[in-house]
Every structure is written in structure tokens, then in C-alpha cells.
Amino acid sequence: MSANALNVTVWNEYRHERMEEACRAIYPDGIHGLIKSFLEEADAELSVRLAALDDPDNGLSDDVLNSTDVLLWWGHMAHHEVPDDLVAKIRQRVYLGKMGLIVLHSGHHSKVFKEVVGTNGNLSWGRDQNEIVWNLLPAHPIAAGIPDHFNLFEELYCEPFYVPQPDELVFGGWFEDGYIFRSGLCYYRGAGKVFYFQPGHEFCRSFYNPYVQRIICNAVRWAAPNDIGYEITDGCPHVTEKLSEKF
Ligand code: ZN
């Protein structure tokens, strides 16, 4: 296996596409299906699996999770159906530096984003409209190949976005109604990496945009775990030692 090979799992709630014709017409194979296809086309060393909320084990059995290097997350209407113990496992895997996490669009309110980043994920929103995505940090690996700006037609997300200050702010969105939004944010949590990216409303076509695709491909490479060469200890070793001496 090549040193650059990565196991990527694209998790999608996958309800809108099954329930709403207008969404299915845009994403007949699901949002996750389209993401898988452009990731594989762009990067032959990615091995991409699909996972959905209504799959057995919500698509993320221990075997799948423990062999995932980068997890992508799209959810909207059923955040509350994701089991808390699964969320805890995801957070732990990110914090221990074993897996990167990429959260897309309405995933800002997912349990996974809120738990891993530490936020309620709240923001304001409005009608679908023209958006200009500005490249705020061209030297960042996630911005490689992205021009100073590009255009989308997207659901309005606007500030204030009640998240912790990002460690790196890579993109900013301007909307035709005059609102702005921090649209591409990087967080370091424990030994792991998290990228949140705003585009991706289920009734818009943003996942077909070549720059959106490039950003997501770049983000997968950026979020991949570092080879740190040792196991990170979970818990305090002194407590464990003392307890074992005593009992
Ligand atoms: Zn949306």
C-alpha cells in the first residue's frame, strides 16, 4: 500500500434525496455518492466508502470507524437520531489524532461538529442567492488551486456564527443580500484536524462546482492524520499508576 493511500468515509444523513424529488433530481446517487465520485476521480490513492444514517450501525460500525482516516459529514434534518455513543467514538478518534473530520454545510448543527469543536453551532440563514466565496488564505493547503474568489448560488448563512475563533480562516462568503459568513474554518482539536465548509445546501448544486470539489479534495489531504509514531495516552498515567499500586 502506498504511503499516500487514505481511507475516506463519506457519511450522509441521506434523507432529503430519498424524500424530496427536487433534491433527488440534483443528487440522484445522494450527496455522498457525488462526493465519492469526484474524490476518486481527483485522487487515485483515496479509497472512499459511503455511509448513511439508515445503514446498519448508522453506517459507522467500529470496523469502519477504526479504519477511517478522514470522515466527511453531511446532515440536516435528523441530527438528533445520531447516537451519542457514536458521536463520542468519533470525537475520541479525532482527538487521538487517528482521524480527520470534514463537516459540510448544515452539519454545523450536527452533534459531531458541536461535540468535537465545542459549540452550539448556531448561525442565521435566509433565502438561496448568489454568493461570492473569497479566498482569504491562499497559502493554506486547502486553498491550493483556488482563485481569489469564485461564485456560487447558495442558501444564505450569515454571521454571527457562534463558533470558537477558528485556528485558521481559509474562506469567507459574501451574499448578495449584503451578509457575510466565515465559510471555511480549520480547527485543531487534540491531535486531530477539523475543517468546516459552508456550501452544500441540498437544493443547490454547489457540489458540482469544480472549486468546491477541489477544496474538499484538498481538505481530505489536509485533515489526514499525521504519522506521530506513538500512541497518545488517553487519561492521566499517574492516576492509572497510583490506582494499580493501591488495588
Ligand atoms: Zn441547507
Side-chain angles (χ1 to χ4, degrees), residues 3 54 58 65 71 83-84 98 117 127 136-137 143 161 166 168 170 180 184 187 193 202 204-205 207 213 231:
D54 294 321
N58 308 110
L65 198 59
L71 176 67
D84 292 340
K98 295 175 184 295
V117 169
R127 69 181 179 101
L136 304 179
L137 202 54
F161 186 15
E168 293 156 346
V170 189
I180 60 169
Y187 292 98
K193 287 167 270 184
E202 64 272 17
C204 298
R205 302 182 59 85
F207 290 123
Q213 295 184 357
E231 285 292 312

Side-chain angles (χ1 to χ4, degrees), residues 74 76 105-106 128 154-155 157 200-203:
W74 195 104
H76 180 226
H105 188 62
S106 41
D128 300 353
E154 256 300 331
E155 179 180 29
Y157 273 19
H201 186 51
E202 64 272 17
F203 298 115

Side-chain angles (χ1 to χ4, degrees), residues 114-134:
K114 294 193 290 188
E115 275 292 311
V116 173
V117 169
T119 176
N120 59 21
N122 285 343
L123 51 85
S124 297
W125 61 93
R127 69 181 179 101
D128 300 353
Q129 59 192 269
N130 291 310
E131 176 185 8
I132 300 175
V133 178
W134 289 96

Side-chain angles (χ1 to χ4, degrees), residues 22-41:
C23 182
R24 189 160 56 243
I26 302 170
Y27 297 111
D29 299 319
I31 286 171
H32 54 335
L34 181 69
I35 293 173
K36 179 180 195 283
S37 70
F38 71 69
L39 285 177
E40 287 176 336
E41 201 177 313

Side-chain angles (χ1 to χ4, degrees), residues 2-245:
S2 153
N4 290 324
L6 281 182
N7 289 320
V8 177
T9 303
V10 186
W11 190 94
N12 183 8
E13 183 180 281
Y14 198 32
R15 292 273 175 87
H16 286 284
E17 299 95 320
R18 286 155 56 215
M19 293 167 66
E20 294 171 85
E21 179 55 41
C23 182
R24 189 160 56 243
I26 302 170
Y27 297 111
D29 299 319
I31 286 171
H32 54 335
L34 181 69
I35 293 173
K36 179 180 195 283
S37 70
F38 71 69
L39 285 177
E40 287 176 336
E41 201 177 313
D43 191 336
E45 296 196 90
L46 301 182
S47 170
V48 185
R49 286 177 294 202
L50 297 180
L53 179 64
D54 294 321
D55 290 348
D57 300 313
N58 308 110
L60 294 173
S61 65
D62 287 351
D63 279 351
V64 171
L65 198 59
N66 292 336
S67 59
T68 295
D69 299 310
V70 179
L71 176 67
L72 287 85
W73 195 271
W74 195 104
H76 180 226
M77 63 165 73
H79 294 317
H80 59 285
E81 292 184 43
V82 176
D84 292 340
D85 64 330
L86 174 59
V87 175
K89 286 181 201 169
I90 292 169
R91 182 183 58 192
Q92 182 75 336
R93 194 163 165 76
V94 172
Y95 282 19
L96 294 181
K98 295 175 184 295
M99 182 175 82
L101 175 67
I102 297 170
V103 176
L104 300 166
H105 188 62
S106 41
H108 68 89
H109 264 158
S110 65
K111 289 183 187 177
V112 166
F113 181 71
K114 294 193 290 188
E115 275 292 311
V116 173
V117 169
T119 176
N120 59 21
N122 285 343
L123 51 85
S124 297
W125 61 93
R127 69 181 179 101
D128 300 353
Q129 59 192 269
N130 291 310
E131 176 185 8
I132 300 175
V133 178
W134 289 96
N135 183 349
L136 304 179
L137 202 54
H140 196 279
I142 297 180
I146 305 302
D148 69 344
H149 72 280
F150 61 94
N151 301 295
L152 294 176
F153 188 80
E154 256 300 331
E155 179 180 29
L156 169 64
Y157 273 19
C158 57
E159 298 284 345
F161 186 15
Y162 292 100
V163 286
Q165 288 287 1
D167 294 303
E168 293 156 346
L169 178 58
V170 189
F171 300 105
W174 173 90
F175 291 83
E176 66 171 299
D177 281 352
Y179 296 94
I180 60 169
F181 190 72
R182 289 168 290 171
S183 56
L185 302 86
C186 296
Y187 292 98
Y188 295 86
R189 286 295 182 267
K193 287 167 270 184
V194 181
F195 180 62
Y196 171 80
F197 193 40
Q198 157 258 316
H201 186 51
E202 64 272 17
F203 298 115
C204 298
R205 302 182 59 85
S206 296
F207 290 123
Y208 289 95
N209 180 284
Y211 297 127
V212 168
Q213 295 184 357
R214 178 73 192 263
I215 288 166
I216 293 171
C217 292
N218 290 344
V220 165
R221 284 288 166 195
W222 172 82
N226 287 350
D227 182 10
I228 53 176
Y230 63 93
E231 285 292 312
I232 296 172
T233 309
D234 185 31
C236 175
H238 300 293
V239 172
T240 316
E241 249 168 51
K242 278 178 191 155
L243 285 178
S244 59
E245 277 165 23

